[in-house]
Amino acid sequence: MEFQEISVSVKKSKHFPLTPFRIIRGVICLLVLLSTAFVFLIYFVPVAAVLLRFFSTLYSRKVVSLLFGLWLGLWPFLFEKINETNVIFSGDHVPPKERVLLIANHKSEVDWMYLWNLALRKGCLGHIKYLLKKRLIKLPVFGWGFYVLEFIPLKRNWVVDEQVIRQMLSTFTNPQDPLWLTVFPEGTDYTEQKCKRSHDFATNNGLCLLGNTRSSLDAVYDVTIAYKNQCPIFLDNAFGVDPSEVHIHVRRIPLEKIPESEKEASEWLIETFQFKDKLLSDFIANGHFPNEGTEQELSTPKCLLNLIIVITLTGIFIFFTYSFIWGKFYVGFSCIYLASAACFNFRPYPIIGSVNERLKKILRMKSQ
Protein backbone atom coordinates (compact mmCIF):
# COMPACT_ATOMS: atom_id res chain seq x y z
CA MET A 1 0.00 0.00 0.00
CA GLU A 2 1.55 3.29 -1.11
CA PHE A 3 0.86 5.36 1.98
CA GLN A 4 2.51 2.79 4.25
CA GLU A 5 5.88 4.50 3.84
CA ILE A 6 4.44 7.27 6.04
CA SER A 7 4.52 6.58 9.78
CA VAL A 8 1.16 6.33 11.54
CA SER A 9 2.40 9.20 13.68
CA VAL A 10 4.84 12.02 13.13
CA LYS A 11 6.03 11.41 16.65
CA LYS A 12 9.08 9.15 16.50
CA SER A 13 10.04 8.88 20.17
CA LYS A 14 9.52 5.72 22.15
CA HIS A 15 6.52 5.46 24.44
CA PHE A 16 8.72 4.76 27.48
CA PRO A 17 12.49 5.08 27.90
CA LEU A 18 14.50 1.85 27.92
CA THR A 19 15.57 1.76 31.55
CA PRO A 20 17.47 -1.02 33.40
CA PHE A 21 14.21 -1.85 35.18
CA ARG A 22 12.41 -2.40 31.88
CA ILE A 23 15.27 -4.50 30.54
CA ILE A 24 15.26 -6.75 33.64
CA ARG A 25 11.46 -6.99 33.62
CA GLY A 26 11.44 -7.82 29.90
CA VAL A 27 14.07 -10.54 30.32
CA ILE A 28 12.08 -12.08 33.18
CA CYS A 29 8.88 -12.01 31.08
CA LEU A 30 10.64 -13.67 28.15
CA LEU A 31 12.12 -16.36 30.40
CA VAL A 32 8.68 -17.07 31.87
CA LEU A 33 7.07 -17.23 28.42
CA LEU A 34 9.80 -19.47 27.00
CA SER A 35 9.98 -21.85 29.98
CA THR A 36 6.20 -22.23 30.29
CA ALA A 37 5.89 -22.80 26.53
CA PHE A 38 8.56 -25.52 26.66
CA VAL A 39 6.96 -27.30 29.62
CA PHE A 40 3.44 -27.12 28.17
CA LEU A 41 4.66 -28.51 24.87
CA ILE A 42 6.68 -31.44 26.18
CA TYR A 43 4.06 -32.52 28.73
CA PHE A 44 0.76 -31.89 26.98
CA VAL A 45 1.53 -32.67 23.34
CA PRO A 46 2.01 -36.48 23.69
CA VAL A 47 -1.38 -36.78 25.39
CA ALA A 48 -3.49 -34.05 23.75
CA ALA A 49 -2.04 -33.89 20.22
CA VAL A 50 -0.89 -37.49 19.76
CA LEU A 51 -2.73 -40.04 21.92
CA LEU A 52 -6.12 -38.29 21.88
CA ARG A 53 -5.84 -37.65 18.14
CA PHE A 54 -5.84 -41.40 17.50
CA PHE A 55 -9.42 -41.36 18.78
CA SER A 56 -10.74 -38.03 17.52
CA THR A 57 -9.22 -35.09 15.65
CA LEU A 58 -12.07 -32.87 16.82
CA TYR A 59 -11.61 -33.51 20.55
CA SER A 60 -7.83 -33.44 20.23
CA ARG A 61 -8.04 -29.95 18.73
CA LYS A 62 -10.43 -28.77 21.43
CA VAL A 63 -8.11 -29.95 24.20
CA VAL A 64 -5.07 -28.44 22.48
CA SER A 65 -6.96 -25.16 22.03
CA LEU A 66 -7.93 -25.10 25.71
CA LEU A 67 -4.47 -25.92 27.06
CA PHE A 68 -2.42 -23.73 24.76
CA GLY A 69 -5.03 -20.98 24.90
CA LEU A 70 -4.02 -20.68 28.57
CA TRP A 71 -0.41 -20.08 27.55
CA LEU A 72 -1.26 -17.70 24.70
CA GLY A 73 -3.27 -15.67 27.20
CA LEU A 74 0.02 -14.60 28.82
CA TRP A 75 0.80 -12.37 25.83
CA PRO A 76 -2.26 -10.06 26.02
CA PHE A 77 -1.59 -9.90 29.78
CA LEU A 78 1.98 -8.77 29.03
CA PHE A 79 0.88 -6.20 26.47
CA GLU A 80 -2.11 -4.64 28.23
CA LYS A 81 -1.43 -5.10 31.95
CA ILE A 82 2.35 -5.19 32.35
CA ASN A 83 3.43 -2.94 29.45
CA GLU A 84 0.28 -0.81 29.85
CA THR A 85 -0.30 -0.65 26.11
CA ASN A 86 -3.73 0.78 25.37
CA VAL A 87 -5.48 -1.55 22.87
CA ILE A 88 -8.43 0.26 21.30
CA PHE A 89 -11.00 -1.64 19.24
CA SER A 90 -13.32 -0.02 16.72
CA GLY A 91 -15.70 -0.88 13.88
CA ASP A 92 -18.10 -3.79 14.29
CA HIS A 93 -18.70 -5.61 17.56
CA VAL A 94 -18.35 -9.26 16.56
CA PRO A 95 -20.02 -12.14 18.42
CA PRO A 96 -17.93 -14.70 20.34
CA LYS A 97 -16.80 -18.12 19.14
CA GLU A 98 -17.52 -17.79 15.43
CA ARG A 99 -15.71 -19.77 12.72
CA VAL A 100 -14.11 -17.11 10.57
CA LEU A 101 -11.56 -16.21 7.94
CA LEU A 102 -9.65 -13.19 9.23
CA ILE A 103 -7.84 -10.89 6.78
CA ALA A 104 -5.38 -8.37 8.24
CA ASN A 105 -2.83 -5.82 7.08
CA HIS A 106 0.82 -6.48 7.95
CA LYS A 107 3.01 -3.49 8.77
CA SER A 108 5.06 -4.83 11.69
CA GLU A 109 6.58 -8.12 12.80
CA VAL A 110 4.21 -8.16 15.81
CA ASP A 111 0.84 -7.56 14.07
CA TRP A 112 -0.11 -11.20 14.39
CA MET A 113 0.51 -11.16 18.15
CA TYR A 114 -1.96 -8.33 18.76
CA LEU A 115 -4.69 -10.38 17.10
CA TRP A 116 -4.47 -12.56 20.23
CA ASN A 117 -5.92 -9.62 22.18
CA LEU A 118 -9.05 -9.79 20.02
CA ALA A 119 -9.22 -13.60 20.03
CA LEU A 120 -8.96 -13.71 23.83
CA ARG A 121 -11.97 -11.43 24.17
CA LYS A 122 -13.96 -13.70 21.82
CA GLY A 123 -13.06 -16.99 23.52
CA CYS A 124 -11.12 -18.13 20.45
CA LEU A 125 -7.51 -17.67 21.52
CA GLY A 126 -6.51 -21.31 21.08
CA HIS A 127 -8.39 -21.57 17.77
CA ILE A 128 -6.39 -19.05 15.73
CA LYS A 129 -4.38 -20.42 12.79
CA TYR A 130 -1.88 -18.47 10.71
CA LEU A 131 -0.31 -18.94 7.32
CA LEU A 132 3.39 -18.40 7.96
CA LYS A 133 6.85 -19.01 6.50
CA LYS A 134 7.77 -22.68 6.53
CA ARG A 135 11.17 -22.04 8.09
CA LEU A 136 9.50 -20.66 11.23
CA ILE A 137 8.03 -24.10 11.97
CA LYS A 138 11.57 -25.42 12.43
CA LEU A 139 12.40 -22.98 15.23
CA PRO A 140 13.01 -24.69 18.60
CA VAL A 141 10.12 -24.44 21.08
CA PHE A 142 8.14 -21.68 19.35
CA GLY A 143 8.22 -23.55 16.04
CA TRP A 144 6.97 -26.61 17.91
CA GLY A 145 4.08 -24.51 19.17
CA PHE A 146 3.28 -23.32 15.63
CA TYR A 147 3.19 -26.97 14.57
CA VAL A 148 0.97 -28.13 17.45
CA LEU A 149 -1.49 -25.27 16.86
CA GLU A 150 -1.59 -26.33 13.20
CA PHE A 151 -0.34 -23.16 11.57
CA ILE A 152 -0.04 -23.62 7.81
CA PRO A 153 3.59 -23.49 6.54
CA LEU A 154 4.18 -21.76 3.20
CA LYS A 155 7.13 -21.39 0.83
CA ARG A 156 5.45 -18.49 -1.04
CA ASN A 157 5.47 -20.71 -4.12
CA TRP A 158 1.89 -21.28 -5.23
CA VAL A 159 2.65 -24.50 -7.08
CA VAL A 160 3.87 -26.02 -3.82
CA ASP A 161 1.71 -24.13 -1.36
CA GLU A 162 -1.67 -24.78 -3.01
CA GLN A 163 -1.55 -28.49 -2.24
CA VAL A 164 -0.43 -27.86 1.37
CA ILE A 165 -3.17 -25.29 1.98
CA ARG A 166 -5.94 -27.40 0.46
CA GLN A 167 -4.82 -30.54 2.28
CA MET A 168 -4.72 -28.87 5.71
CA LEU A 169 -7.96 -26.95 5.22
CA SER A 170 -9.74 -30.12 4.13
CA THR A 171 -9.39 -31.27 7.76
CA PHE A 172 -11.15 -28.13 9.07
CA THR A 173 -14.51 -28.48 7.30
CA ASN A 174 -16.35 -29.73 10.39
CA PRO A 175 -18.53 -26.82 11.64
CA GLN A 176 -17.98 -28.06 15.21
CA ASP A 177 -14.23 -27.62 14.82
CA PRO A 178 -13.34 -24.12 16.13
CA LEU A 179 -11.36 -22.03 13.66
CA TRP A 180 -9.95 -18.53 13.23
CA LEU A 181 -8.03 -18.84 9.97
CA THR A 182 -5.83 -15.74 9.71
CA VAL A 183 -4.32 -14.47 6.48
CA PHE A 184 -1.95 -11.57 5.79
CA PRO A 185 -2.31 -11.05 2.02
CA GLU A 186 0.58 -8.55 2.14
CA GLY A 187 2.85 -11.42 3.14
CA THR A 188 5.74 -10.64 5.47
CA ASP A 189 6.15 -7.35 7.33
CA TYR A 190 5.83 -4.42 4.98
CA THR A 191 8.15 -3.20 2.26
CA GLU A 192 7.02 -1.76 -1.08
CA GLN A 193 8.55 -4.66 -3.04
CA LYS A 194 7.09 -7.32 -0.75
CA CYS A 195 3.68 -5.63 -0.87
CA LYS A 196 3.58 -5.60 -4.69
CA ARG A 197 4.65 -9.25 -4.86
CA SER A 198 2.03 -10.26 -2.29
CA HIS A 199 -0.73 -8.31 -4.07
CA ASP A 200 0.21 -10.08 -7.31
CA PHE A 201 0.08 -13.39 -5.46
CA ALA A 202 -3.38 -12.59 -4.07
CA THR A 203 -4.66 -11.39 -7.46
CA ASN A 204 -3.47 -14.48 -9.29
CA ASN A 205 -4.70 -17.01 -6.76
CA GLY A 206 -7.75 -15.36 -5.21
CA LEU A 207 -9.25 -16.41 -1.90
CA CYS A 208 -8.77 -20.13 -2.41
CA LEU A 209 -8.80 -20.42 1.39
CA LEU A 210 -12.41 -19.34 1.49
CA GLY A 211 -13.35 -21.82 -1.21
CA ASN A 212 -12.11 -24.74 0.89
CA THR A 213 -13.94 -23.78 4.07
CA ARG A 214 -16.75 -21.49 2.92
CA SER A 215 -19.68 -23.73 3.81
CA SER A 216 -18.51 -24.11 7.42
CA LEU A 217 -17.59 -20.47 8.14
CA ASP A 218 -19.77 -17.88 9.86
CA ALA A 219 -18.14 -14.73 8.49
CA VAL A 220 -15.00 -12.96 7.29
CA TYR A 221 -13.30 -10.43 9.58
CA ASP A 222 -11.49 -7.59 7.84
CA VAL A 223 -9.01 -6.35 10.47
CA THR A 224 -6.91 -3.18 10.15
CA ILE A 225 -4.12 -2.50 12.66
CA ALA A 226 -2.35 0.82 13.35
CA TYR A 227 0.08 1.99 16.02
CA LYS A 228 1.04 4.99 18.12
CA ASN A 229 3.76 6.26 18.49
CA GLN A 230 5.48 4.09 15.87
CA CYS A 231 5.41 0.55 14.53
CA PRO A 232 6.95 -1.69 17.20
CA ILE A 233 9.39 -4.55 16.84
CA PHE A 234 9.36 -7.64 19.03
CA LEU A 235 11.88 -6.29 21.55
CA ASP A 236 9.79 -3.13 21.95
CA ASN A 237 6.96 -5.39 23.10
CA ALA A 238 9.19 -7.46 25.36
CA PHE A 239 10.68 -4.46 27.16
CA GLY A 240 7.48 -2.40 27.16
CA VAL A 241 8.84 0.70 25.45
CA ASP A 242 6.43 0.79 22.52
CA PRO A 243 3.68 1.02 21.27
CA SER A 244 1.73 3.39 23.50
CA GLU A 245 -1.49 2.52 21.67
CA VAL A 246 -2.62 -0.23 19.31
CA HIS A 247 -5.74 0.54 17.27
CA ILE A 248 -7.61 -2.45 15.82
CA HIS A 249 -10.53 -1.86 13.46
CA VAL A 250 -12.78 -4.87 12.77
CA ARG A 251 -15.26 -5.12 9.92
CA ARG A 252 -17.49 -8.20 9.97
CA ILE A 253 -18.47 -9.28 6.46
CA PRO A 254 -21.25 -11.85 5.90
CA LEU A 255 -20.31 -14.74 3.64
CA GLU A 256 -23.01 -13.95 1.09
CA LYS A 257 -21.32 -10.60 0.30
CA ILE A 258 -18.10 -12.29 -0.81
CA PRO A 259 -17.87 -13.58 -4.41
CA GLU A 260 -17.39 -17.30 -4.94
CA SER A 261 -15.35 -17.26 -8.16
CA GLU A 262 -11.59 -16.85 -7.78
CA LYS A 263 -11.41 -13.91 -10.19
CA GLU A 264 -14.18 -11.96 -8.45
CA ALA A 265 -12.77 -12.90 -5.04
CA SER A 266 -9.38 -11.50 -6.07
CA GLU A 267 -11.00 -8.24 -7.14
CA TRP A 268 -12.91 -8.14 -3.86
CA LEU A 269 -9.64 -8.62 -1.96
CA ILE A 270 -8.03 -5.68 -3.76
CA GLU A 271 -11.08 -3.51 -2.96
CA THR A 272 -10.79 -4.58 0.67
CA PHE A 273 -7.22 -3.32 0.83
CA GLN A 274 -8.22 -0.08 -0.85
CA PHE A 275 -10.69 0.32 2.03
CA LYS A 276 -7.82 -0.35 4.44
CA ASP A 277 -5.77 2.32 2.69
CA LYS A 278 -8.53 4.84 3.33
CA LEU A 279 -8.89 3.77 6.97
CA LEU A 280 -5.16 4.12 7.61
CA SER A 281 -4.98 7.45 5.78
CA ASP A 282 -7.76 8.75 8.01
CA PHE A 283 -5.95 7.33 11.04
CA ILE A 284 -2.84 9.31 10.15
CA ALA A 285 -4.93 12.46 9.85
CA ASN A 286 -7.23 11.96 12.85
CA GLY A 287 -5.27 9.73 15.24
CA HIS A 288 -8.05 7.15 15.56
CA PHE A 289 -10.41 4.84 13.67
CA PRO A 290 -14.19 5.50 13.51
CA ASN A 291 -16.60 3.96 16.02
CA GLU A 292 -14.18 3.27 18.86
CA GLY A 293 -14.93 1.38 22.06
CA THR A 294 -16.44 -1.81 20.66
CA GLU A 295 -14.63 -4.12 23.11
CA GLN A 296 -14.17 -3.98 26.88
CA GLU A 297 -10.85 -4.01 28.70
CA LEU A 298 -9.36 -7.33 29.78
CA SER A 299 -10.25 -8.44 33.30
CA THR A 300 -7.16 -8.15 35.52
CA PRO A 301 -8.35 -10.88 37.98
CA LYS A 302 -8.93 -13.30 35.09
CA CYS A 303 -5.51 -12.52 33.61
CA LEU A 304 -3.86 -13.10 36.98
CA LEU A 305 -5.78 -16.37 37.48
CA ASN A 306 -4.63 -17.54 34.05
CA LEU A 307 -1.02 -16.65 34.95
CA ILE A 308 -1.26 -18.53 38.25
CA ILE A 309 -2.63 -21.65 36.52
CA VAL A 310 0.15 -21.63 33.90
CA ILE A 311 2.91 -21.03 36.48
CA THR A 312 1.52 -23.68 38.84
CA LEU A 313 1.27 -26.35 36.15
CA THR A 314 4.78 -25.50 34.96
CA GLY A 315 6.15 -25.80 38.50
CA ILE A 316 4.47 -29.18 39.04
CA PHE A 317 5.84 -30.60 35.79
CA ILE A 318 9.35 -29.30 36.49
CA PHE A 319 9.21 -30.99 39.91
CA PHE A 320 8.23 -34.31 38.32
CA THR A 321 10.97 -33.97 35.72
CA TYR A 322 13.72 -33.56 38.31
CA SER A 323 12.27 -35.97 40.88
CA PHE A 324 11.51 -39.06 38.78
CA ILE A 325 13.52 -40.90 36.16
CA TRP A 326 10.41 -41.54 34.06
CA GLY A 327 9.89 -37.78 33.91
CA LYS A 328 13.28 -37.37 32.24
CA PHE A 329 12.48 -40.12 29.72
CA TYR A 330 9.11 -38.51 29.01
CA VAL A 331 10.76 -35.15 28.34
CA GLY A 332 13.35 -36.73 26.06
CA PHE A 333 10.71 -38.59 24.08
CA SER A 334 8.58 -35.45 23.71
CA CYS A 335 11.51 -33.37 22.48
CA ILE A 336 12.44 -35.95 19.86
CA TYR A 337 8.85 -36.27 18.69
CA LEU A 338 8.21 -32.52 18.50
CA ALA A 339 11.45 -31.78 16.66
CA SER A 340 10.88 -34.50 14.05
CA ALA A 341 7.11 -33.95 13.67
CA ALA A 342 7.53 -30.19 13.18
CA CYS A 343 10.39 -30.70 10.73
CA PHE A 344 8.52 -33.20 8.55
CA ASN A 345 4.99 -31.89 9.31
CA PHE A 346 3.34 -35.21 10.08
CA ARG A 347 0.39 -35.77 12.41
CA PRO A 348 -1.30 -38.84 13.91
CA TYR A 349 -4.26 -40.17 11.96
CA PRO A 350 -7.46 -40.92 13.93
CA ILE A 351 -7.23 -44.66 13.31
CA ILE A 352 -9.71 -45.76 15.97
CA GLY A 353 -12.33 -43.26 14.86
CA SER A 354 -11.90 -44.27 11.22
CA VAL A 355 -12.26 -47.95 12.05
CA ASN A 356 -15.51 -47.24 13.92
CA GLU A 357 -16.86 -45.26 10.98
CA ARG A 358 -16.02 -48.07 8.58
CA LEU A 359 -17.70 -50.65 10.81
CA LYS A 360 -20.83 -48.51 10.99
CA LYS A 361 -20.82 -48.14 7.23
CA ILE A 362 -20.49 -51.90 6.75
CA LEU A 363 -23.35 -52.57 9.20
CA ARG A 364 -25.58 -50.07 7.38
CA MET A 365 -24.84 -51.74 4.06
CA LYS A 366 -25.66 -55.18 5.49
CA SER A 367 -28.90 -53.96 7.02
CA GLN A 368 -30.00 -52.69 3.61
Side-chain angles (χ1 to χ4, degrees), residues 212-224:
N212 282 276
T213 58
R214 187 182 190 108
S215 61
S216 63
L217 293 178
D218 297 309
V220 170
Y221 293 171
D222 174 25
V223 177
T224 306

Side-chain angles (χ1 to χ4, degrees), residues 245-260:
E245 293 180 6
V246 178
H247 291 252
I248 302 177
H249 185 276
V250 184
R251 187 166 61 116
R252 185 183 185 276
I253 305 170
L255 263 292
E256 58 268 19
K257 291 189 177 181
I258 300 174
E260 295 192 30

Side-chain angles (χ1 to χ4, degrees), residues 72 79 104-106 108-117 128 130 132 136 142 146 151 182 184 225 227 234:
L72 287 173
F79 298 153
N105 62 315
H106 201 4
S108 166
E109 63 187 40
V110 295
D111 294 328
W112 59 287
M113 302 177 77
Y114 280 107
L115 294 177
W116 293 339
N117 296 62
I128 195 166
Y130 296 99
L132 79 170
L136 296 178
F142 287 117
F146 299 155
F151 293 1
T182 305
F184 296 97
I225 306 171
Y227 300 98
F234 177 74

Side-chain angles (χ1 to χ4, degrees), residues 152-209:
I152 301 177
L154 301 180
K155 290 185 175 181
R156 297 297 294 175
N157 180 340
W158 182 245
V159 175
V160 178
D161 293 339
E162 181 182 15
Q163 183 178 358
V164 174
I165 293 171
R166 293 187 184 279
Q167 189 278 324
M168 290 197 69
L169 291 184
S170 67
T171 69
F172 280 99
T173 55
N174 186 347
Q176 295 181 319
D177 207 348
L179 177 66
W180 266 37
L181 180 61
T182 305
V183 184
F184 296 97
E186 290 175 330
T188 53
D189 46 294
Y190 184 86
T191 67
E192 188 68 32
Q193 183 179 4
K194 289 177 182 177
C195 183
K196 183 180 184 305
R197 185 169 64 245
S198 297
H199 278 193
D200 291 341
F201 181 88
T203 302
N204 292 332
N205 301 300
L207 291 176
C208 70
L209 302 171

